[in-house]
Amino acid sequence: MKLPAKHMNYVSDHTLFIAELKAKNPGIEEGQRAGRALLWDKPPVSLDEQNRQMASAVKQQAYVYQNKN
């Protein structure tokens, strides 16, 4: 679907907000990258380490909220 010429230069309110936010805080993207690296970008784990972690895991009971009576 091709848009009419009058809609080709449309910029949404959200896009304008993000552009204004980035203009006010130029370091915001660097902070996002640092946060992502802290929480998500992890180095690969070796197979030996994976096996050690799996062997040391504590088994969870079937229904976690039930007491062991």
Side-chain angles (χ1 to χ4, degrees), residues 47-63:
L47 291 176
D48 292 334
E49 181 65 19
Q50 286 180 10
N51 290 334
R52 188 192 66 74
Q53 289 176 354
M54 287 174 50
S56 65
V58 176
K59 298 283 184 192
Q60 182 175 344
Q61 59 186 13
Y63 184 68

Side-chain angles (χ1 to χ4, degrees), residues 12 14 17 24 26 32 35 39 41 51 56 59-60 63-65:
S12 72
H14 298 303
F17 171 75
K24 286 181 182 176
Q32 288 176 327
L39 297 174
D41 298 338
N51 290 334
S56 65
K59 298 283 184 192
Q60 182 175 344
Y63 184 68
V64 296
Y65 299 109

Side-chain angles (χ1 to χ4, degrees), residues 21-34:
L21 182 66
K22 287 180 180 180
K24 286 181 182 176
N25 303 316
I28 197 167
E29 288 186 34
E30 183 60 34
Q32 288 176 327
R33 285 190 201 96

